[in-house]
Amino acid sequence: MAWQDEFVKARRAAIAAEFSRLNPEQRLGAMMTEGPVLMLAGAGSGKTTVLINRIANILKYGKGSDCDTVPDWAQKSDIALLNAKPEELGEEQRQRREKLMAVEPAPAWSVLAITFTNKAAGELKNRLYNMLGSEAEDIWASTFHSACVRILRREADYTPFESGFTIYDTADSLSLMKHVMKDLNMDEKTYPPRSVLSQISRAKDSMKDARTFAEEAGGDFRRKRIAEAYAEYSRRLLEANALDFDDIIFYTVRLLQENPQVREYYQRKFRYVLVDEYQDTNHAQFLLAELLSGGRKNICVVGDDDQSIYKFRGATIENILGFEEHYQNARVVRLEQNYRSTGNILNAANAVIKNNLGRKSKKLWTDSGDGEKVTVYTAATENDEAQYIAARILEGYERGERFSDFAVLYRMNAQSNQIEFAFKRNGIRYRVFGGFRFFDRAEVKDMLSYLNVINNPGDTLRLQRIVNNPPRGIGAKTLETVAEIAAREGATEFEIMERAAEYPELSRASAKITEFTGMINSLRAFEGPVDELYSEALEKTGYLAMLDLKPGPESDARRENLMELKTSIEQYMRETENATLAGYLDMVSLYTDIDKYDEDDDCVTMMTMHSAKGLEFPTVFVAGAEEGIFPGTRAIGDEEEIEEERRLCYVAITRAKKKLYITGARQRMMMGRTSNNLPSRFVDELPGECVEKKEAQRYAPTFGAYSSGDRGARESEGGYGYGRRKRPVRPPEKPAAPRPAAAPAAVDFRKGDAVEHKAFGKGVILSVQPTGGDALLEIAFDSAGTKRLMAKAASKFMRKG
């Protein structure tokens, strides 16, 4: 072996020693710096840790761990220096050793790390800063959309938009589409606006503009009408200097495809491109990553095909499954050691997901022990299921666990109602994700619309929302006239309004219109920081004064929300150097519901399984494990859809760290219908040795044998059996008489009693309402407000005095 080969081997070992805290597979991923790399990272396998260390390696040693290059000035004696322990060397020797280990170290600005959520991007930035210090601030660590917005604003001259463009969120896009369809005489029942937007979104994901979409419609009348809506929708977005979420990726890809000089600039700039959650990418995002990394082909994608659950959003699992075929000589690293969950939870997850055919093989494992078995509970009804979940949470709380240690996951939002009711009855604090977003509240959208118009007066949609809010006497007929003049003259509606006095048809309202545009322009001229601009807007627009005219709880709540919006602006300013109004509006536009998840907020988390991806909890309840609910009715009979549902089950299971409950009901009422659902096929796929089965000790109708030939009849196992039998059994003519319940403990709480609750603190009982063997207490707590609690449940956590 030539000494140069020994040198390369010694350098690789020296760099590996720098990452000795990683397991062998993680270390391999951190040291593979060159060419296309696929990291198959199972749930809880520490992929973010690998990404952080890989970036640190790239910045410090460049391609030193992944090339055969030997510096011209290196000597054979340097091999001993590389093999030496740094602490045993003098300062001069250490410096030479560091220099020998590095081969073209990358500047921070040449690294692009893309992920999907602001929360994940924030965690990436914070951990990079903690490891690398201020150098990390120059790394492009952001979401797909944030990175593209940054590129589009910088390269606006090459796009149809001006650099100050507005971003429309989902609600804005829907509102605009409804206006478009109304003007095109498209009936919303025949063409549901959300469905039309969905088809347009899929077209943009496939990089098809309105013209291409129309050409492909052929003689299909329905598609031709949707193509008309697509074209007009696009025209109005352009007129308003606005982009929707899909446009952000669409126009960035088109920018890079059509402008060689721009494409070459970014390919030279980004020496290394890393893409997290690659299994969730759509076609346009695939093209974007390919274009940006096209110079050196140093693309590293991290993902888990078993967690590809966003097909309904356009995610293409083929991107990750076909990575090795698309990128020749790609290398693959499998991260299978799990640092999150116990052995029994992982065995359950592995057993379920192995039934999928469209996947790359891997098997999660842990060295932290088996832990508790997975509890599978068969409830009699959805009410019983909800009460069972509440009872287990209360038991945990009594043992000293926090409410935030628990999460309840469900397939559809409609399942949450009964569980919420059980939590309210039992005094359990909870928070539902996926409900009404803060930024979707009317008063918040009103003030954000003002800020958007101040930033971009061409934003017609937001302009129409605020021009008469608060009322200014500018009627709908006047606004129609403004729109007609704007269309005729090829100007924006705001520009026409600024010159309202010049148009006879606007003469009656011109004074009021001019007063409005003057107010907006005075705010546009404001030179103070963003939070002061917001305060100025609250006053000058008259919005606060409007709330003062109707004093009461509703106005107070709306005022509080407006103050919370200011808090949001102030937080943005603290966290952002050179904070601008445009920057804040970008941040809000790209905000997702999961970004508001706060681990320090002590309440039970309730969310859909889709929303839970990326999170983890000590104890997880997967509710509604029944055929027709999970998997859903639409998936049954479609193997591709069943595999997607099974991946969703895998994601739900692997959110649990210590304890997993899977619950279902023999009989369920939901959305006004009562049904007797079969147990989920995913429950049957769980290995018996890691499962403990329980069921409600109450009569419920039996279902008899399965009629589906592909699943066959299954024997009742006394657990999640739903009354299953090998052969039909005649149901009893009537349920057996229930055993007399034990006499309830006397309820000794009375109106006026002073009480102290473990969770809610001190309070006074306002009323006691007897209900059967229990009582409903209404209690005014000093700090938690008024709560309604069932006396029996509350007595475990509350005492008099």
Side-chain angles (χ1 to χ4, degrees):
M1 181 187 291
W3 75 266
Q4 287 89 349
D5 294 334
E6 291 183 41
F7 177 93
V8 170
K9 185 178 179 181
R11 181 177 63 201
R12 195 164 289 145
I15 295 175
E18 295 272 309
F19 302 100
S20 59
R21 60 192 172 280
L22 304 180
N23 70 39
E25 289 74 24
Q26 289 177 329
R27 188 159 57 248
L28 186 62
M31 293 179 65
M32 282 184 179
T33 61
E34 306 308 298
V37 176
L38 168 61
M39 275 196 259
L40 289 172
S45 61
K47 67 182 176 70
T48 305
T49 297
V50 181
L51 281 176
I52 300 297
N53 283 275
R54 189 175 194 274
I55 293 172
N57 182 27
I58 287 168
L59 267 55
K60 191 172 183 180
Y61 301 119
K63 58 182 181 179
S65 63
D66 201 23
C67 75
D68 297 329
T69 305
V70 178
D72 295 338
W73 48 270
Q75 302 171 8
K76 185 176 181 179
S77 59
D78 287 326
I79 296 174
L81 199 60
L82 289 170
N83 288 330
K85 295 180 179 179
E87 61 271 18
E88 297 174 354
L89 301 175
E91 181 60 30
E92 189 174 329
Q93 289 177 306
R94 276 201 299 271
Q95 288 180 4
R96 182 175 178 82
R97 184 177 185 272
E98 291 270 322
K99 193 175 179 182
L100 288 165
M101 292 164 67
V103 179
E104 300 177 23
W109 48 261
S110 71
V111 176
L112 171 64
I114 300 178
T115 187
F116 268 81
T117 67
N118 293 314
K119 184 176 184 294
E123 181 186 357
L124 197 61
K125 289 177 184 176
N126 290 336
R127 291 180 63 176
L128 283 168
Y129 185 85
N130 292 337
M131 176 176 276
L132 304 171
S134 58
E135 184 182 15
E137 294 176 354
D138 291 331
I139 297 169
W140 276 47
S142 64
T143 63
F144 268 106
H145 288 90
S146 295
C148 288
V149 166
R150 190 170 174 181
I151 291 172
L152 287 174
R153 291 206 189 280
R154 186 183 187 279
E155 311 297 342
D157 290 345
Y158 296 94
T159 74
F161 301 89
E162 297 175 14
S163 61
F165 59 76
T166 297
I167 300 170
Y168 280 6
D169 63 18
T170 306
D172 296 325
S173 298
L174 184 62
S175 178
L176 177 59
M177 179 54 71
K178 287 180 177 180
H179 284 300
V180 167
M181 291 175 61
K182 181 181 178 182
D183 293 343
L184 293 177
N185 294 316
M186 294 175 67
D187 179 53
E188 289 193 12
K189 291 182 179 179
T190 307
Y191 301 93
R194 291 183 189 276
S195 176
V196 172
L197 279 173
S198 179
Q199 292 194 52
I200 292 172
S201 176
R202 287 196 294 272
K204 290 179 181 178
D205 285 351
S206 301
M207 296 305 298
K208 297 174 184 176
D209 59 14
R211 179 180 297 177
T212 305
F213 187 86
E215 289 171 354
E216 292 183 354
D220 187 326
F221 179 77
R222 182 180 180 82
R223 285 182 62 83
K224 287 175 73 173
R225 289 291 281 159
I226 293 174
E228 290 178 48
Y230 184 3
E232 180 61 16
Y233 173 76
S234 298
R235 188 192 70 77
R236 295 193 188 187
L237 281 170
L238 181 59
E239 184 181 74
N241 195 31
L243 289 82
D244 66 17
F245 285 156
D246 297 308
D247 286 332
I248 293 171
I249 309 292
F250 177 87
Y251 281 105
T252 306
V253 171
R254 177 166 283 188
L255 168 72
L256 296 172
Q257 287 177 330
E258 297 177 354
N259 298 277
Q261 68 273 37
V262 176
R263 180 173 67 249
E264 289 167 11
Y265 168 80
Y266 285 100
Q267 288 181 347
R268 286 195 307 271
K269 175 182 175 61
F270 297 128
R271 282 177 52 183
Y272 295 96
V273 175
L274 300 90
V275 183
D276 193 11
E277 304 290 0
Y278 193 66
Q279 77 280 348
D280 294 334
T281 53
N282 59 31
H283 180 65
Q285 290 162 338
F286 162 80
L287 291 175
L288 178 67
E290 183 182 47
L291 286 163
L292 291 174
S293 63
R296 296 175 176 82
K297 300 289 184 184
N298 288 338
I299 180 170
C300 173
V301 302
V302 185
D304 182 0
D305 51 305
D306 290 335
Q307 295 188 71
S308 179
I309 59 173
Y310 295 122
K311 181 181 177 183
F312 69 97
R313 292 184 189 168
T316 308
I317 193 173
E318 287 76 17
N319 289 349
I320 192 167
L321 293 178
F323 184 84
E324 296 159 87
E325 184 179 337
H326 185 78
Y327 289 95
Q328 298 299 313
N329 304 316
R331 292 176 289 176
V332 180
V333 181
R334 283 178 167 79
L335 305 180
E336 298 173 303
Q337 183 174 359
N338 179 281
Y339 294 92
R340 175 190 299 160
S341 306
T342 62
N344 279 322
I345 292 171
L346 296 182
N347 289 339
N350 288 329
V352 170
I353 201 63
K354 75 178 183 181
N355 291 283
N356 272 8
L357 299 177
R359 64 185 294 261
K360 291 179 176 288
S361 62
K362 65 180 174 303
K363 187 175 182 180
L364 297 179
W365 62 275
T366 182
D367 57 10
S368 63
D370 290 340
E372 291 188 57
K373 289 187 176 184
V374 176
T375 297
V376 177
Y377 179 72
T378 307
T381 65
E382 75 280 2
N383 296 326
D384 176 37
E385 178 188 43
Q387 190 55 44
Y388 177 82
I389 293 171
R392 301 293 77 75
I393 292 173
L394 289 175
E395 287 174 0
Y397 190 81
E398 202 165 23
R399 290 192 300 267
E401 297 174 52
R402 290 163 53 88
F403 285 134
S404 56
D405 291 337
F406 299 89
V408 182
L409 310 182
Y410 34 79
R411 182 63 180 84
M412 57 187 86
N413 284 308
Q415 291 174 249
S416 72
N417 292 341
Q418 287 299 327
I419 300 171
E420 285 190 69
F421 185 62
F423 285 178
K424 288 175 181 176
R425 283 190 307 175
N426 289 280
I428 296 173
R429 289 200 297 272
Y430 68 93
R431 188 173 185 183
V432 179
F433 286 83
F436 204 54
R437 294 194 323 158
F438 171 75
F439 290 115
D440 286 338
R441 297 184 185 280
E443 61 275 8
V444 174
K445 284 191 75 73
D446 288 343
M447 286 312 301
L448 284 174
S449 293
Y450 272 108
L451 294 179
N452 272 289
V453 171
I454 291 167
N455 181 62
N456 171 22
D459 189 344
T460 303
L461 186 70
R462 269 64 175 266
L463 177 66
Q464 291 174 346
R465 181 183 182 101
I466 63 172
V467 68
N468 209 36
N469 184 15
R472 297 185 173 91
I474 304 173
K477 182 62 179 174
T478 298
L479 294 178
E480 286 180 18
T481 304
V482 169
E484 289 168 2
I485 297 172
R488 185 177 71 224
E489 299 198 0
T492 68
E493 291 185 15
F494 189 83
E495 289 171 337
I496 300 302
M497 293 171 76
E498 285 182 299
R499 307 195 306 269
E502 301 175 13
Y503 301 98
E505 55 263 63
L506 296 176
S507 57
R508 283 190 175 183
S510 64
K512 295 171 183 175
I513 294 174
T514 302
E515 184 180 353
F516 169 75
T517 57
M519 178 267 293
I520 293 294
N521 283 327
S522 71
L523 290 169
R524 283 174 56 77
F526 186 83
E527 296 182 352
V530 185
D531 59 338
E532 292 183 13
L533 169 62
Y534 175 72
S535 297
E536 191 81 357
L538 280 174
E539 294 296 333
K540 282 194 171 183
T541 60
Y543 205 94
L544 282 182
M546 176 182 70
L547 296 182
D548 290 339
L549 293 175
K550 296 181 179 180
E554 184 178 346
S555 289
D556 291 344
R558 296 181 72 186
R559 182 184 287 272
E560 288 172 5
N561 287 333
L562 293 177
M563 292 304 103
E564 184 63 24
L565 182 58
K566 184 175 183 180
T567 301
S568 167
I569 294 172
E570 290 169 344
Q571 181 179 350
Y572 159 76
M573 293 176 64
R574 285 194 300 271
E575 296 175 352
T576 308
E577 189 177 354
N578 301 321
T580 64
L581 175 59
Y584 175 72
L585 294 173
D586 282 351
M587 186 272 290
V588 171
S589 298
L590 302 177
Y591 177 93
T592 61
D593 190 56
I594 198 64
D595 293 326
K596 66 184 177 183
Y597 173 69
D598 184 358
E599 294 177 353
D600 297 325
D601 192 5
D602 188 24
C603 55
V604 177
T605 297
M606 296 180 63
M607 57 173 55
T608 64
M609 298 172 198
H610 283 100
S611 298
K613 189 166 172 291
L615 302 178
E616 57 185 45
F617 306 89
T619 300
V620 168
F621 297 86
V622 177
E626 303 152 31
E627 293 286 297
I629 294 180
F630 185 44
T633 304
R634 292 182 181 178
I636 295 174
D638 185 330
E639 195 53 43
E640 193 174 309
E641 292 295 331
I642 285 293
E643 293 212 350
E644 177 101 352
E645 293 282 292
R646 190 174 281 114
R647 290 193 292 269
L648 186 58
C649 183
Y650 173 85
V651 167
I653 289 172
T654 53
R655 298 312 93 196
K657 296 164 71 175
K658 295 180 179 179
K659 179 63 182 176
L660 172 67
Y661 294 88
I662 299 178
T663 65
R666 297 188 182 99
Q667 187 178 83
R668 182 180 299 275
M669 174 180 251
M670 193 165 66
M671 301 182 196
R673 290 180 59 246
T674 299
S675 59
N676 296 333
N677 297 323
L678 301 174
S680 170
R681 66 191 69 197
F682 305 143
V683 170
D684 287 344
E685 293 170 359
L686 298 172
E689 64 272 14
C690 68
V691 171
E692 176 187 30
K693 296 187 176 182
K694 297 183 178 181
E695 62 178 319
Q697 297 302 309
R698 288 190 293 188
Y699 169 78
T702 58
F703 292 103
Y706 283 98
S707 58
S708 174
D710 64 330
R711 298 180 63 194
R714 289 171 289 183
E715 183 175 2
S716 172
E717 297 172 344
Y720 210 91
Y722 287 40
R724 293 170 285 175
R725 299 290 186 272
K726 280 187 174 178
R727 56 186 181 277
V729 174
R730 180 180 299 171
E733 294 180 6
K734 60 180 181 179
R739 298 174 66 179
V747 177
D748 59 355
F749 294 114
R750 298 185 180 183
K751 181 179 178 180
D753 282 351
V755 294
E756 185 169 0
H757 193 282
K758 282 185 180 180
F760 302 135
K762 294 182 178 180
V764 175
I765 296 178
L766 301 180
S767 67
V768 179
Q769 191 174 353
T771 57
D774 207 339
L776 177 66
L777 309 178
E778 185 176 12
I779 308 172
F781 290 102
D782 294 345
S783 57
T786 301
K787 303 286 183 184
R788 291 187 173 188
L789 311 176
M790 297 306 292
K792 283 185 181 178
S795 63
K796 297 180 181 179
F797 308 101
M798 189 169 69
R799 61 181 178 81
K800 287 189 178 182

